[in-house]
Coordinates of all heavy atoms in Angstrom, one line a residue:
V309 N -2.0 17.0 3.8 CA -3.4 16.6 4.0 C -4.2 17.7 4.8 O -3.8 18.4 5.7 CB -3.4 15.3 4.9 CG1 -4.7 14.9 5.3 CG2 -2.7 14.3 4.1
D310 N -5.4 17.9 4.4 CA -6.4 18.7 5.1 C -6.7 18.1 6.5 O -7.1 16.9 6.5 CB -7.7 18.9 4.3 CG -8.8 19.6 5.0 OD1 -8.7 19.9 6.2 OD2 -9.8 20.0 4.3
P311 N -6.5 18.8 7.6 CA -6.7 18.2 8.9 C -8.1 17.7 9.2 O -8.3 16.7 9.9 CB -6.4 19.4 9.9 CG -5.6 20.3 9.2 CD -6.0 20.2 7.7
G312 N -9.1 18.3 8.5 CA -10.5 17.7 8.7 C -10.7 16.4 8.0 O -11.7 15.7 8.3
L313 N -9.8 16.0 7.2 CA -9.8 14.7 6.5 C -9.7 13.5 7.5 O -10.4 12.5 7.3 CB -8.8 14.6 5.5 CG -8.9 13.4 4.5 CD1 -10.2 13.6 3.7 CD2 -7.7 13.5 3.5
E314 N -9.1 13.7 8.6 CA -9.0 12.6 9.6 C -10.4 12.2 10.1 O -10.7 11.0 10.2 CB -8.2 13.1 10.8 CG -6.7 13.3 10.5 CD -5.9 13.6 11.7 OE1 -6.4 13.6 12.8 OE2 -4.7 13.9 11.5
Q315 N -11.3 13.1 10.3 CA -12.6 12.9 10.8 C -13.4 12.2 9.7 O -14.1 11.2 9.9 CB -13.3 14.2 11.3 CG -14.6 13.9 12.0 CD -14.5 13.0 13.2 OE1 -13.5 12.9 13.8 NE2 -15.6 12.4 13.6
I316 N -13.3 12.7 8.5 CA -14.0 12.1 7.4 C -13.6 10.7 7.1 O -14.5 9.8 6.9 CB -13.8 13.0 6.1 CG1 -14.5 14.3 6.3 CG2 -14.3 12.2 4.8 CD1 -14.0 15.3 5.1
A317 N -12.4 10.3 7.4 CA -11.8 9.0 7.0 C -12.5 7.9 7.9 O -12.6 6.8 7.4 CB -10.3 9.0 7.2

Side-chain angles (χ1 to χ4, degrees):
V309 174
D310 176 348
L313 193 58
E314 291 184 9
Q315 189 62 21
I316 292 168

